[in-house]
Amino acid sequence: MKTALNIITLTLLVSSLGLVGCSETTTSEPREIAEAPSTQAELLPISLPETALVSQKPNGSMSGQLTALSEQELTISQKDTSLTLPVSEVNWIEFQGDAWIRDRQGQRVRKFRGENASTKGQQVWQGVPIAAFQLQNPETASLSLGTVLSNEDLQDILSISQDSVYIVDVIEFDSSGRTMTIKATPIDR
C-alpha cells in the first residue's frame, strides 16, 4: 500500500510539472509571433500604369505620372513640370495606360497593355494607411497590408504575387486623409 501511495504521489508531481511547462510554452508562443517585426516577404510589390488621373477637391482634375506620395502630399509630373498637392485635396487617383510587368528580380519583362485591362479578379483593400504605400519609382511601389488583412488573406495575396503582379487601378483617399482604398488586379508575369 505504501508503494502504491508513493507511485500515485510521484505521478501527480510529474503530471503537474508537465502541465506547468505546457502552459508556459503555450502562452509564450503567441507573444513571440505578435512581436515579430515585419519582413520583406510581407511587402507586396505592385505596378503602376503610366498615367495617373487625379481627381481634386472640389471638382478639378489633372493627369501625369505619380512621382511621390506621402501622408501629407503627392506629386504628379508631366514632361518637365510637376505639381505637388496636399493629400487632403485629393479624392482619388485612377491609373490608366500601360504598365510594366517585372520578374522577381525587378527586371522589366514585358509591357501590359492598358487597353486590354480587365478588372476580373480585382482585389479591394480598404483602410490601408498611406504610410503603407512606398513608391519606388513612377512604375513600381510596395505595399504593406499586414495591418489591413488577416494573416491568412495576406498569405493568399503574397502567394498569388509569386506568379502574378498586382497592377493598381484606383487609389481612393478617405475623408480623414489618413487611409485609402486600393483597387488592384493581378496579371500573370
Side-chain angles (χ1 to χ4, degrees):
M1 183 77 161
K2 190 173 181 179
T3 306
L5 186 58
N6 285 342
I7 291 173
I8 292 173
T9 305
L10 183 62
T11 304
L12 286 173
L13 180 63
V14 170
S15 296
S16 63
L17 288 175
L19 289 174
V20 168
C22 285
S23 71
E24 286 178 9
T25 302
T26 304
T27 57
S28 66
E29 282 181 26
R31 267 189 246 126
E32 290 173 17
I33 293 170
E35 294 170 7
S38 295
T39 64
Q40 277 299 106
E42 292 176 348
L43 292 176
L44 177 67
I46 55 177
S47 289
L48 304 171
E50 45 190 22
T51 304
L53 176 62
V54 178
S55 169
Q56 297 171 265
K57 296 176 183 175
N59 55 8
S61 67
M62 64 175 303
S63 66
Q65 276 192 317
L66 180 66
T67 54
L69 176 63
S70 71
E71 293 176 90
Q72 292 81 29
E73 57 192 25
L74 62 83
T75 303
I76 298 294
S77 300
Q78 298 175 344
K79 297 182 185 173
D80 295 332
T81 64
S82 61
L83 179 64
T84 300
L85 302 168
V87 169
S88 61
E89 293 180 14
V90 177
N91 291 315
W92 46 259
I93 305 169
E94 181 180 326
F95 292 91
Q96 303 169 341
D98 302 336
W100 280 99
I101 306 295
R102 294 175 180 265
D103 63 16
R104 290 185 187 109
Q105 290 74 36
Q107 301 298 313
R108 287 179 167 182
V109 177
R110 67 182 172 92
K111 207 175 217 187
F112 174 75
R113 299 287 174 200
E115 64 266 8
N116 298 333
S118 164
T119 56
K120 183 178 180 185
Q122 184 183 65
Q123 295 287 312
V124 178
W125 303 308
Q126 297 178 333
V128 177
I130 295 173
F133 184 93
Q134 297 298 312
L135 188 65
Q136 288 142 1
N137 60 55
E139 297 175 357
T140 60
S142 61
L143 190 58
S144 175
L145 295 171
T147 61
V148 178
L149 300 175
S150 69
N151 191 41
E152 183 179 320
D153 289 341
L154 178 60
Q155 294 310 314
D156 286 346
I157 288 169
L158 292 172
S159 69
I160 290 170
S161 74
Q162 295 300 310
D163 298 319
S164 302
V165 64
Y166 282 92
I167 297 179
V168 177
D169 301 312
V170 176
I171 296 174
E172 300 170 349
F173 296 95
D174 75 348
S175 59
S176 74
R178 293 187 191 123
T179 62
M180 55 191 174
T181 297
I182 298 176
K183 298 177 183 180
T185 305
I187 303 296
D188 291 341
R189 289 187 193 269

